[in-house]
Amino acid sequence: MIKVSIIGATGYTGRELVRILHFHPEVKIDSLTAKIDEECLISDVFPSFKGVIDFKCSPFDKEIVKNSELIFLAVPHGVSMKLVKQFLDDKKKVIDLSADYRLNDVNDYEKWYNMKHLYPDILKDAVYGLPEFKRQEIKNSNLIANPGCFPTGILLALLPIMSQDIVSLNKRIIIDSKTGASGAGRRGTLGLNFCEVDNNIKAYKINRHQHIIEIIQQIEELSSLYLKNLIFVPHIASFERGILNTIYVPLSNMVSLDKIREYYLKHYARSEFVKIFDSAENIAIKDVANTNKCHIGLSIDEETSSLIIVSAVDNLLKGAAGQAVQNMNIMYGLDEGLGLVR
């Protein structure tokens, strides 16, 4: 059994990690900690766990997690930074769900996250945990930087086509994304209260969302392209969970939709959680909610020589906790989908 600890167990992502790992056949949860004043039962925080998962949750103390071999960090960026260093020094494996170790360039991190990175030397040791593209690197790593929720669905949708030399890099790729309110966590800010979010949709951080640099970095690394024209507009909408991405890709020359679909089917042939559909109109958030799946649909507009890709993921599962468990399975040589909803 893999002994694990979850730090940040009382957040939405932490809740999903607790639920998945409790039922995982190869895992024993050794400890749960969170930013709380005093010890409590996790079922007091999440009553749906009552009588099923009544584990103790404690204020964080390094001694509490000393017996664990793998640590899941479900805490904000900036908080993970020091903890990762401590745990690696203690010879533990870490899956970090924050952004602290996702970027290769420390200057990019400090620009987009507006804080100094204390351990830039560790960045080279972190593996960006996108399983469908980095299985071997994940398997051999002690530090996984779990991808952000937006980049997960966007990269899975874009990467197969970016390596085919048919994308026009002189024109802009436009990404329009809608996310449920859970994507911002359990923080009690004005923009996330019921009256602001209900029956509403609103753009935010237009082309300045911190996930832009993460998307660009991985496209450039995995397709050897220099991506200079990208527009990313995220929206928050009045549903609980899920992300729908509509991506407009200019093509340098027209290729049949069947040929493009072949690229995707070939790349994802051994990826059980990525499903390719005949049309972009087939993709809906409700079909991926509460699963670790990514659905991708493809359509072509011949008049504008554009490929329209629509992808959907559950931001708390494939975009966070589910993908983290998928990464754990790979790290330990287990079936990639073990313990996850298929």
Side-chain angles (χ1 to χ4, degrees), residues 4-5 16 26 35 64 74 111-112 140 188 220 267 283 302 306 317:
V4 307
S5 286
E16 297 297 335
E26 297 293 334
K35 189 178 181 181
I64 295 174
K111 172 185 175 181
W112 287 89
N140 297 322
E220 291 184 347
H267 185 85
I283 310 305
E302 294 184 2
S306 298
L317 289 175

Side-chain angles (χ1 to χ4, degrees), residues 6-65:
I6 302 167
I7 300 176
T10 57
Y12 291 140
T13 299
R15 176 185 64 188
E16 297 297 335
L17 283 170
V18 172
R19 180 182 59 80
I20 296 168
L21 293 170
H22 172 65
F23 293 106
H24 195 291
E26 297 293 334
V27 168
K28 173 179 170 53
I29 297 178
D30 191 62
S31 67
L32 304 177
T33 75
K35 189 178 181 181
I36 53 179
D37 294 327
E38 57 185 29
E39 188 176 280
C40 65
L41 294 178
I42 195 67
S43 55
D44 290 336
V45 181
F46 300 116
S48 61
F49 289 166
K50 191 73 174 176
V52 180
I53 310 176
D54 292 312
F55 295 161
K56 177 176 66 176
C57 185
S58 306
F60 174 73
D61 185 299
K62 191 178 175 184
E63 284 298 301
I64 295 174
V65 303

Side-chain angles (χ1 to χ4, degrees), residues 84-322:
V84 166
K85 175 69 164 63
Q86 294 174 20
F87 294 138
L88 291 180
D89 286 346
D90 290 341
K91 309 301 181 185
K92 298 184 184 300
K93 295 178 182 290
V94 180
I95 297 178
D96 180 19
L97 285 85
S98 85
D100 284 346
Y101 292 92
R102 290 178 192 157
L103 302 181
N104 298 329
D105 189 329
V106 68
N107 295 315
D108 286 336
Y109 178 86
E110 293 177 354
K111 172 185 175 181
W112 287 89
Y113 288 90
N114 198 30
M115 66 171 63
K116 182 175 178 59
H117 203 297
L118 302 177
Y119 305 105
D121 55 312
I122 299 180
L123 292 176
K124 68 181 185 301
D125 299 323
V127 170
Y128 188 78
L130 193 63
E132 290 75 15
F133 287 85
K134 298 201 174 184
R135 287 186 177 92
Q136 195 57 45
E137 296 94 324
I138 292 166
K139 185 175 182 179
N140 297 322
S141 178
N142 291 323
L143 172 58
I144 302 302
N146 216 60
C149 52
F150 281 123
T152 294
I154 292 167
L155 289 169
L156 291 173
L158 273 176
L159 283 169
I161 195 68
M162 296 302 292
S163 59
Q164 298 302 321
D165 197 30
I166 60 172
V167 176
S168 176
L169 297 180
N170 295 319
K171 298 180 181 178
R172 290 182 176 87
I173 293 174
I174 299 172
I175 304 169
D176 180 303
S177 300
K178 277 83 173 177
T179 183
S182 62
R186 297 184 75 198
R187 296 173 297 173
T189 60
L190 174 62
L192 295 173
N193 72 32
F194 178 81
C195 292
E196 297 293 324
V197 174
D198 185 50
N199 198 33
N200 195 17
I201 184 168
K202 182 180 180 181
Y204 69 102
K205 290 188 177 181
I206 297 174
N207 222 39
R208 57 185 178 86
H209 194 286
Q210 63 273 18
H211 285 172
I212 292 175
I213 189 62
E214 187 178 330
I215 296 164
I216 291 173
Q217 171 186 284
Q218 293 302 316
I219 289 175
E220 291 184 347
E221 177 185 327
L222 292 166
S223 64
S224 300
L225 294 176
Y226 174 59
L227 190 65
K228 57 185 177 181
N229 292 314
L230 183 111
I231 294 177
F232 174 44
V233 183
H235 302 72
I236 187 167
S238 60
F239 49 88
E240 177 189 349
R241 58 197 298 160
I243 294 176
L244 187 79
N245 305 295
T246 305
I247 307 171
Y248 306 89
V249 182
L251 301 176
S252 57
N253 55 76
M254 281 304 298
V255 180
S256 72
L257 186 58
D258 286 342
K259 184 65 176 178
I260 289 175
R261 193 178 294 116
E262 281 180 22
Y263 298 149
Y264 283 79
L265 292 172
K266 181 178 180 180
H267 185 85
Y268 292 124
R270 57 184 287 241
S271 299
E272 64 173 297
F273 292 116
V274 181
K275 308 298 181 185
I276 309 303
F277 290 79
D278 290 342
S279 170
E281 296 178 8
N282 294 131
I283 310 305
I285 284 174
K286 70 175 184 177
D287 296 322
V288 298
N290 298 296
T291 78
N292 196 54
K293 296 176 182 177
C294 174
H295 285 186
I296 298 172
L298 308 165
S299 295
I300 276 185
D301 179 30
E302 294 184 2
E303 194 164 318
T304 59
S305 297
S306 298
L307 172 67
I308 295 94
I309 312 169
V310 178
S311 69
V313 297
D314 185 312
N315 57 298
L316 297 177
L317 289 175
K318 185 57 175 168

Side-chain angles (χ1 to χ4, degrees), residues 64-77:
I64 295 174
V65 303
K66 68 180 181 180
N67 293 323
S68 295
E69 59 183 284
L70 172 64
I71 311 293
F72 288 89
L73 291 174
V75 296
H77 63 269

